Structure formats: structure tokens, C-alpha cells
Amino acid sequence: VMDQPVESREETSKYTDTLANGTSRKWTWEMDAKSVITSPSPQAPITHGAGPLVITGLAWSGRGAITGVDVSLDGGKNWQQARLAAPGADKALTRFYLDIDWDGSEMLLQSRARDASGYVQPSKAQLREVRGLN
């Protein structure tokens, strides 16, 4: 146990963000709002034809409680508000659901979380504009 950062390979490779201009932001401790769709997925594919479908996933934030999650079926062109399984708790996983009547067509699913600080999870492209490719 140490009383200060050690700057070992593990610390510098895991908690440093290289920015687009080549400089690095060191010691990234606060986690931004994030979300992931867990179903459907390659590991949990849709096994029925058109009809009712529940899209579900998890959201979390190191900035505070999750206050909402939006889901896109078309790669971010249009968004629908998902329902939270329960009110978000501070810095905890929050399950979300979106009930749709699926027409059987291909979907490009994305989710974005919002937290109590007002932070909204950016798209990958938006994040890369700020932090670069790393």
C-alpha cells in the first residue's frame, strides 16, 4: 500500500488519457457516464420474428446517479427515452429498458446515459474529437 501514485506501468497505462494533440491527461479517476446495451447482442440475439421486443442494458457514472438513458435504433439519428428499473443511486449500476414493437428490420443500437451532474454520454465520434483515438 502506498500513500501516493507510484507511476508504474499499470497505473500509467490504465489511468492516463492521451489527447488528440499528443499530450496526456494523467490520473483519470472520475468515470464519466457510460451505458451499454446487453440485449439484444451477439451473445443474446433476437430469437423471434417481428413483434414486441425489450431492449435492455446498464448505465453508470462516477459523477453521481443516472437520471436517464436514451436508446437509438438507427445509429444515433433518432433517440427514445428508456425507462429505468429504479431511480438511479449514486455511482451505481442502473438497469434500463426500452419496449418496442420491432418490425423485423435491421437495427443499429446505441445508448447514451445522463447523470445527476448534467453530463450526457457522448458518441464515440464526439469523444474522439476531444480525446483523440486513444
Side-chain angles (χ1 to χ4, degrees):
V1 176
M2 304 296 289
D3 63 354
Q4 62 186 5
V6 177
E7 297 202 36
S8 69
R9 180 180 71 83
E10 291 304 311
E11 283 188 351
T12 57
S13 68
K14 305 285 189 295
Y15 302 104
T16 302
D17 297 317
T18 303
L19 304 175
N21 66 5
T23 62
S24 292
R25 181 173 63 182
K26 194 157 119 178
W27 313 127
T28 304
W29 300 112
E30 185 174 71
M31 184 177 290
D32 295 331
K34 298 180 183 217
S35 62
V36 61
I37 293 172
T38 57
S39 181
S41 71
Q43 295 76 27
I46 301 168
T47 57
H48 61 77
L53 177 67
V54 179
I55 297 167
T56 186
L58 293 166
W60 63 96
S61 177
R63 297 171 182 257
I66 293 297
T67 58
V69 177
D70 300 319
V71 174
S72 174
L73 309 179
D74 57 11
K77 295 176 187 165
N78 299 287
W79 296 91
Q80 300 178 54
Q81 187 169 344
R83 63 184 163 87
L84 302 182
D90 190 45
K91 300 177 183 75
L93 291 173
T94 302
R95 171 72 59 186
F96 64 87
Y97 302 94
L98 180 67
D99 302 292
I100 64 168
D101 187 21
W102 182 50
D103 63 8
S105 64
E106 185 174 338
M107 296 182 287
L108 180 53
L109 298 174
Q110 291 183 325
S111 59
R112 66 179 178 199
R114 296 181 305 280
D115 67 25
S117 75
Y119 183 86
V120 178
Q121 178 183 359
S123 68
K124 191 174 193 178
Q126 291 168 326
L127 194 59
R128 284 183 169 172
E129 285 176 22
V130 175
R131 297 189 184 167
L133 297 176
N134 292 333

